[in-house]
Amino acid sequence: MAVDPRQLVAGFLTLSMFVMLGNMVKHDHFTPAGEELSLDATGVELNEMKVADSTEMTEINRAGVEFPEEAGEEIKPCWSKPSPYVQESNGFVTFSLTIGPEYHISQITDAVVIARYLGATLVLPEIRGNELGKRRKFEDMYDVDKFMMRLDGVVKVIHSLPDEVTAKKPAVIRVPNRVTEEFITETIEPIFQRNNYLRLATIFSSVSLKQKESSNKDLDSTACLAMFSGLELKPEFSAVSKQMLDRLKEISKKSDGMVLAIDMQTELLEKKICKTSGGVRRKGCYYPQEVVNFLKKVGFSANTTIYLTETWWHKSLNTLKEAFPNTYTKDDIMPADKKGEFLKSGDSYLARALDLKICSQSDVFIPAIPGLFYGHVTGKRIASGLTHIIVPAPVSSTSALASEFVSTYVSKKSHLAYSCYC
């Protein structure tokens, strides 16, 4: 007989009582320790089914779902703004923002760190779309005034190259994501000394955002500043995401009061990110029915309000709607007068940017697909003290605790955000 998770809230007051009730409710460890959540090549954070003995449990929003308690105190930066750079700029660093908003964050961070180290001037990047020849200015999507203000004194930022420089040919450098001081000194700096006009292209051989050891506190602080304070959507775009989240919260008040955001991209399930060359599905990629099974078994009620990062509704999502009627896509909750700009223009970057904002601010976040989006949403949530992030896994028992599936970015404090915020 299945155990109602809401009964567990009352029964499991201390972790010692988990042992006492062990014969009543059995929980399997569904992902063996050491297994990766997603692609081995990407380095995406693995998720072990483990809760620390000292973890204090709390019920969230009357939904009957238990999570480790979020930080009660205000999260503050562990870093201070790098000291003003007084040396005269001796070159230029250019680059483009590509692939999507979650990649833009990493591309900006690497470019700022490199410019800071070299003492170079950073040129505002253009944004290149997925379609050949489709471009837009930085300020068409992001708040350029805030970007330049926050980097003031850290690196010099200009809107465009001087005329005398544009006639020259830049040195193009392929830069690994999360560039290290060693790579800058050994690879980039010698090239910069010969040609002080660089064009960077970030290579994402790994999308892991785990902490790394570093002894250069100035560059660490620069990276924290750029990653968590650099990019913000234009105010009018941020207002749209707020309208959408407010509508979800209003809907949730009529049920259990919780908004659950799920990053689900069903069109990617048959692509390389989720399929091996032999056609075998990789770990970390979940179909809608599997997500439904997981949500039910960890105790989410049928009244839970769910936001999917899908743009349009399609029949493969029907299984979610049947189990959780309050399930919505962007098309369902976006103000009608905004759909033309965000959904029908063919610009996936804007739609994905809204997903990033909403998933970073919802009550709970669940990544049903691996990738950098999961990592950056998690980082933003950690910086805001919103650590209710659970990673799906196959559930074979009749019930389980959501707390057993908390992202190890959080449970192990392995995310680089923990080196920036404390």
Side-chain angles (χ1 to χ4, degrees):
M1 179 177 180
V3 178
D4 187 341
R6 285 171 290 190
Q7 294 176 319
L8 298 181
V9 175
F12 295 176
L13 295 177
T14 64
L15 291 178
S16 62
M17 293 183 72
F18 287 147
V19 179
M20 295 172 59
L21 295 175
N23 294 325
M24 296 175 62
V25 183
K26 296 182 180 179
H27 304 294
D28 297 329
H29 289 253
F30 305 107
T31 303
E35 283 194 2
E36 295 267 336
L37 163 66
S38 61
L39 321 184
D40 293 339
T42 64
V44 174
E45 185 77 346
L46 61 85
N47 205 52
E48 300 175 43
M49 305 309 119
K50 182 178 180 181
V51 184
D53 291 342
S54 60
T55 301
E56 184 177 357
M57 310 305 294
T58 182
E59 182 180 6
I60 177 172
N61 293 324
R62 306 181 305 281
V65 181
E66 286 186 344
F67 289 92
E69 188 171 10
E70 290 181 321
E73 298 180 358
E74 180 184 358
I75 302 295
K76 296 181 179 180
C78 301
W79 51 274
S80 56
K81 187 173 181 178
S83 57
Y85 207 94
V86 295
Q87 180 180 337
E88 189 68 26
S89 174
N90 57 359
F92 300 90
V93 169
T94 64
F95 65 110
S96 294
L97 299 179
T98 60
I99 309 176
E102 63 269 39
Y103 291 87
H104 296 174
I105 299 171
S106 292
Q107 290 161 346
I108 282 285
T109 302
D110 287 334
V112 169
V113 166
I114 291 169
R116 169 76 177 181
Y117 189 92
L118 298 175
T121 295
L122 186 71
V123 182
L124 279 177
E126 63 180 1
I127 302 172
R128 294 191 176 186
N130 292 326
E131 297 177 9
L132 186 63
K134 190 169 186 178
R135 302 181 182 184
R136 62 168 56 188
K137 295 180 180 179
F138 180 89
E139 54 266 37
D140 290 340
M141 183 169 176
Y142 294 109
D143 191 327
V144 66
D145 293 332
K146 281 189 176 180
F147 179 74
M148 298 184 77
M149 177 187 69
R150 288 170 179 172
L151 291 181
D152 184 39
V154 179
V155 294
K156 183 180 179 181
V157 182
I158 58 176
H159 285 266
S160 59
L161 282 167
D163 292 339
E164 65 271 19
V165 179
T166 56
K168 300 178 181 180
K169 187 176 181 179
V172 179
I173 304 178
R174 293 162 62 89
V175 178
N177 176 35
R178 300 184 64 192
V179 65
T180 62
E181 182 180 11
E182 180 182 16
F183 185 87
I184 297 174
T185 56
E186 294 182 1
T187 303
I188 300 179
E189 193 169 32
I191 297 174
F192 185 70
Q193 290 171 350
R194 298 192 300 269
N195 183 351
N196 65 356
Y197 172 21
L198 302 183
R199 176 81 182 174
L200 308 179
T202 303
I203 306 303
F204 291 91
S205 57
S206 170
V207 295
S208 172
L209 293 182
K210 288 183 179 180
Q211 294 187 57
K212 292 181 179 179
E213 290 187 7
S214 172
S215 58
N216 192 322
K217 298 303 181 184
D218 182 83
L219 288 189
D220 291 344
S221 294
T222 300
C224 288
L225 172 67
M227 180 169 287
F228 294 103
S229 299
L231 283 184
E232 281 195 23
L233 286 176
K234 292 170 60 176
E236 54 266 42
F237 292 166
S238 292
V240 175
S241 70
K242 185 178 185 303
Q243 284 179 290
M244 294 169 67
L245 186 57
D246 286 348
R247 185 176 177 190
L248 289 166
K249 289 182 176 179
E250 189 62 33
I251 294 170
S252 73
K253 289 178 181 178
K254 302 173 184 178
S255 52
D256 56 29
M258 174 165 48
V259 175
L260 170 60
I262 303 177
D263 183 29
M264 180 174 289
Q265 303 283 303
T266 51
E267 75 278 6
L268 298 180
L269 291 173
E270 303 303 323
K271 295 185 178 181
K272 186 177 180 181
I273 189 174
C274 281
K275 292 283 187 178
T276 65
S277 57
V280 178
R281 184 161 39 121
R282 299 182 187 271
K283 292 181 177 68
C285 297
Y286 294 95
Y287 285 93
Q289 184 60 58
E290 295 170 314
V291 173
V292 168
N293 296 341
F294 175 76
L295 294 178
K296 285 182 175 180
K297 290 187 177 182
V298 298
F300 287 97
S301 72
N303 291 327
T304 301
T305 300
I306 297 178
Y307 172 75
L308 301 179
T309 57
E310 300 276 7
T311 296
W312 313 101
W313 194 269
H314 45 84
K315 62 181 181 180
S316 67
L317 303 176
N318 288 347
T319 182
L320 263 163
K321 195 77 167 180
E322 292 166 2
F324 299 93
N326 297 325
T327 299
Y328 305 95
T329 63
K330 283 185 282 295
D331 181 49
D332 295 322
I333 62 167
M334 182 176 289
D337 62 335
K338 302 297 181 183
K339 291 183 180 181
E341 182 176 14
F342 285 89
L343 305 186
K344 299 176 183 178
S345 64
D347 191 336
S348 61
Y349 286 4
L350 282 181
R352 196 59 170 157
L354 295 179
D355 290 336
L356 192 65
K357 290 279 286 187
I358 293 172
C359 289
S360 298
Q361 297 171 357
S362 61
D363 295 304
V364 182
F365 171 60
I366 296 181
I369 196 165
L372 201 57
F373 184 90
Y374 161 44
H376 279 306
V377 167
T378 298
K380 288 179 178 295
R381 293 182 68 94
I382 290 169
S384 302
L386 302 174
T387 54
H388 290 153
I389 306 163
I390 58 176
V391 180
V395 182
S396 57
S397 64
T398 56
S399 64
L401 294 176
S403 57
E404 295 177 343
F405 301 90
V406 171
S407 167
T408 49
Y409 270 143
V410 173
S411 64
K412 293 185 175 181
K413 294 191 173 182
S414 62
H415 197 285
L416 62 85
Y418 285 108
S419 64
C420 296
Y421 291 87
C422 51

